[in-house]
Amino acid sequence: MTTKTKLVKRIFSSLLTAALAVPMTALTAHATGEAFFYPPKNPVMTDQQFEVSVTFSADAEIGSVQANIAYDDSVIEFVSSDNASGGGGVLTVNGFPDTPSSEVDLSFTFKGLSAGNANISLQSCQIYSPDSELIGSPTAYCVITVGSDKVETKTETETTTTTEKTTTTTTKTAPSNGIPDKGVLTALTVDNGELSPAFAYNVYNYTVNVDNSVTNVEIEGTTASPSDYIWYTGTSECQVGENVRTITVTDVDGNATTYTVTIIRAAGGDEQQTRTAQKKNSSDTSSAVSKNANVMDQYKKMLNTALAIVLIVLVIALVVIIIWIRGKIKGGKKDK
């Protein structure tokens, strides 16, 4: 066997090995990232400092995190963080794990400025691997409720024929239509779809069905008292299938009430799929089937891409062999 023949066979073997390795790489390299806010569990008052932490997680090792955090600087004020800089409503975040890990925890210190609700949202987030490959770009947000630390009082004077007595009592709002005056939601709205069942302060589980074209659903809750603290888990971004969001309301005494909203995004653009999902109310079985179908679709797309690459490599290998054969024929003619 000539040196030229060995070289061509070696090239062809290398190309074929690389082509066969492509499908495995395409099917396995699919890392994802998530982010969750963890605000304080107790209500926040004006002039009080409090901490908000964010956990970034992925199904692969994290090398770094870069993001922006937007907040309402008319209600809260940024104080400090080891991993952020800025102010005036926007922070620039750069975080790194202390040790090799698939999670990164960052904390930020704020201070209450005035009574009201302050949205804190994660924007332009990018989670990178140690090799600087993008793992994911998650979004997340929470709402900080800042209550006034002033207590309203009223004075009642009671006069008799012999003595005069003055007493001071705390003002308390009486329940309206049977709704408690603190620690619950009085309203809950979504910007896409409808709550099922209709909202009531003492109903804690809801379902929202949306079409496949809806990729983002915002949820807004209204508390019974301005001093109630409210925070959300989950992100406004909706994946196909079930997306679970929770809204927790905590009163000044530390009593918490949690509402759960399950947003079901249809698997396709067909309106019939949405109506079917509404009838079934997203049972566990239909949810599992929807998730499995979505995973299979992703694998099919990656496999099609991998097969196309294999065909290209094989065509290149075939061209190399043809060129070699033609060269061999020409060489034979010259020898004659």
Side-chain angles (χ1 to χ4, degrees), residues 268-299:
D270 191 351
E271 293 295 331
Q272 183 61 35
Q273 291 180 329
T274 301
R275 289 193 291 269
T276 302
Q278 290 173 339
K279 292 179 181 179
K280 293 183 178 179
N281 199 20
S282 184
S283 65
D284 292 339
T285 302
S286 63
S287 175
V289 172
S290 176
K291 290 180 179 178
N292 290 336
N294 186 43
V295 172
M296 289 301 297
D297 288 341
Q298 292 178 348
Y299 282 141

Side-chain angles (χ1 to χ4, degrees), residues 107-165:
S107 61
F108 311 88
T109 301
F110 293 89
K111 182 178 74 172
L113 290 180
S114 60
N117 293 328
N119 292 317
I120 303 180
S121 61
L122 187 67
Q123 301 176 352
S124 303
C125 177
Q126 294 178 322
I127 301 177
Y128 292 99
S129 69
D131 298 328
S132 299
E133 293 183 359
L134 181 63
I135 295 177
S137 301
T139 60
Y141 77 99
C142 67
V143 177
I144 301 296
T145 300
V146 179
S148 174
D149 55 1
K150 298 179 181 179
V151 179
E152 296 182 5
T153 61
K154 67 177 182 180
T155 301
E156 297 178 354
T157 302
E158 185 178 305
T159 305
T160 65
T161 55
T162 57
T163 61
E164 184 177 279
K165 182 174 66 175

Side-chain angles (χ1 to χ4, degrees), residues 245-259:
R245 309 274 293 279
T246 64
I247 306 95
T248 301
V249 182
T250 306
D251 63 20
V252 292
D253 299 320
N255 301 312
T257 302
T258 299
Y259 299 83

Side-chain angles (χ1 to χ4, degrees), residues 318-329:
L318 182 59
V319 171
V320 171
I321 292 173
I322 293 173
I323 293 174
W324 174 78
I325 293 174
R326 292 181 63 183
K328 192 70 175 179
I329 294 173

